[in-house]
Amino acid sequence: MATSKQLQLLEYPAYALEVREGLSGAPKHLPAKLFYDEVGSQLFEQITELPEYYLTRTERSILERYAADILRQAGANLTLVELGAGTATKTCVLIEELVQRQSRTLFYPIDVSASALDEAVRNLAGQFPSLRVNPIVGDYTGGVPALSRISGRKLVLYIGSSIGNFEPPQAIRLLRRIRQTLRAGDALLLGADFAKSSKVLLPAYDDAQGVTAAFNKNILARLNRELDADFDLDAFRHIALWNRRCSRMEIYLERLADQPAFIPALDLDVHFKTGERIHTENSYKYTDAMIESILRESGFQLEHTWCDRKKWFGVHLARV
Ligand code: AVJ
């Protein structure tokens, strides 16, 4: 018979063991994917509208300006696939252009959130009658074998700088898995943030209104909600650092006092030294050479890069 503790564990979310691993060792860390519960996804939406957070609006402006060029370069009769599509709002810019170029278009948005995909289907179906939307609910990080069954020329969208959350070897592994489900002539459109001055980067990850701080702290609020933990959010400070050597922004939660926290779901006491940090995210910022190299190492060839005038953000077309 299971003990009450085992029964409890069974009821807790699958990420609980990653939390144990991340908070037991040194340095402490938590997986960035935990940011995106309902509250966190809303906070991220707010981040995308902040004056300091240039990424989303810059990428959207590139897609708006170059949609026709991008699709011409990608090839005729495209079937669209989008990794981590969410509600596919930015994708509309490309779809609008695509439905003018071809009489029928298939779109396969992939996301872990079924509700986000429902919204995508509702929005798109009304707006574009010649578009057929086939949502795929699931995690794309292990690759998406079903993609190899889609016939015709594919354009896989991986926009929004999501690639930036992966360590370069993991990014390559993911792109390689995607590459394995594609055929010669298929293409990948990758949106990635460029390395730039820390004067621009730091405020983007530590805004004046404190929305990014709230987004970061929500990870602990979530552990309080879902694992019954007792983290005192006021006892942590949001920190954003530019790591030039690794070409990445790093965000942390720094413990201001040394009281422990307790996570009943894991029967775990989490001890902190004053000033100790939990590393919650890396956001890689790419140079042209880094983009070229991760694409090449995953079996793609970089064909073209579109960017804004200041070269803050890049949209890269790569071919199998
Ligand atoms: C969703 C991964 C693109 O790295 O800029 C925003 C997440 N973290 N502010 C990013 C994020 C802090 C974002 N991505």
Side-chain angles (χ1 to χ4, degrees), residues 118-135:
D118 282 344
E119 201 179 317
V121 173
R122 270 200 308 277
N123 290 342
L124 294 168
Q127 230 178 314
F128 308 107
S130 66
L131 183 75
R132 222 176 93 198
V133 188
N134 298 315

Side-chain angles (χ1 to χ4, degrees), residues 36 44 47 53 55 160-161 165 205 212 215 281 283:
Y36 302 97
F44 179 66
I47 288 176
Y53 194 78
L55 287 83
S161 183
N165 275 164
Y205 289 84
T212 309
F215 173 76
E281 187 179 38
S283 186

Side-chain angles (χ1 to χ4, degrees), residues 58-73 93-94 97 101 189 304-309 313 315:
T58 307
E59 183 179 47
R60 184 178 293 121
S61 75
I62 296 167
L63 294 176
E64 274 166 3
R65 178 152 184 202
Y66 297 111
D69 289 353
I70 291 169
L71 294 173
R72 196 177 313 118
Q73 181 78 28
V93 181
L94 288 175
E97 184 67 35
R101 303 167 61 94
L189 193 69
H304 198 94
T305 297
W306 293 270
C307 54
D308 55 296
R309 231 169 11 90
F313 200 93
V315 173

Side-chain angles (χ1 to χ4, degrees), residues 70-319:
I70 291 169
L71 294 173
R72 196 177 313 118
Q73 181 78 28
N77 279 315
L78 295 171
T79 290
L80 272 193
V81 174
E82 182 171 8
L83 308 178
T87 57
T89 41
K90 249 183 284 169
T91 324
C92 285
V93 181
L94 288 175
I95 292 176
E96 210 171 332
E97 184 67 35
L98 197 57
V99 295
Q100 288 174 38
R101 303 167 61 94
Q102 47 193 59
S103 55
R104 287 193 65 69
T105 302
L106 287 171
F107 177 40
Y108 293 84
I110 305 170
D111 205 277
V112 283
S113 166
S115 61
L117 289 176
D118 282 344
E119 201 179 317
V121 173
R122 270 200 308 277
N123 290 342
L124 294 168
Q127 230 178 314
F128 308 107
S130 66
L131 183 75
R132 222 176 93 198
V133 188
N134 298 315
I136 302 177
V137 181
D139 178 358
Y140 63 79
T141 52
V144 186
L147 291 187
S148 55
R149 293 198 296 270
I150 300 174
S151 59
R153 179 183 296 235
K154 292 189 280 289
L155 173 63
V156 177
L157 308 176
Y158 193 29
I159 56 180
S161 183
S162 305
I163 189 89
N165 275 164
F166 293 92
E167 299 303 303
Q170 268 75 55
I172 291 166
R173 194 171 58 183
L174 164 63
L175 294 180
R176 208 177 264 157
R177 284 178 176 155
I178 297 300
R179 157 74 185 77
Q180 279 161 3
T181 59
L182 302 181
R183 285 183 285 272
D186 289 350
L188 168 75
L189 193 69
L190 180 69
D193 201 17
F194 277 122
K196 61 181 66 63
S197 163
S198 60
K199 289 199 186 72
V200 177
L201 288 168
L202 291 170
Y205 289 84
D206 193 4
D207 61 280
Q209 290 172 61
V211 183
T212 309
F215 173 76
N216 195 9
K217 286 186 182 188
N218 176 58
I219 209 166
L220 297 182
R222 181 176 184 182
L223 302 189
N224 288 350
R225 285 189 293 270
E226 296 179 8
L227 301 182
D228 301 326
D230 64 354
F231 289 101
D232 172 7
L233 304 195
D234 294 331
F236 289 87
R237 184 165 75 100
H238 167 71
I239 294 189
L241 299 176
W242 168 237
N243 183 333
R244 184 202 284 274
R245 192 175 51 84
C246 299
S247 203
R248 68 191 191 203
M249 284 300 299
E250 299 174 352
I251 73 173
Y252 297 89
L253 289 164
E254 185 176 276
R255 183 73 176 161
L256 299 170
D258 63 0
Q259 311 97 292
F262 180 58
I263 308 182
L266 298 169
D267 193 21
L268 179 71
D269 279 304
V270 187
H271 295 278
F272 291 94
K273 300 191 185 82
T274 301
E276 188 174 350
R277 292 170 181 180
I278 305 172
H279 188 179
T280 49
E281 187 179 38
N282 286 327
S283 186
Y284 279 85
K285 307 300 169 189
Y286 293 89
T287 60
D288 288 308
M290 286 163 73
I291 290 287
E292 221 272 313
S293 137
I294 62 161
L295 287 171
R296 187 171 17 81
E297 288 190 48
S298 49
F300 289 99
Q301 212 179 348
L302 178 60
E303 261 188 22
H304 198 94
T305 297
W306 293 270
C307 54
D308 55 296
R309 231 169 11 90
K310 294 177 183 150
K311 210 178 174 195
W312 279 2
F313 200 93
V315 173
H316 310 273
L317 188 87
R319 188 81 57 187

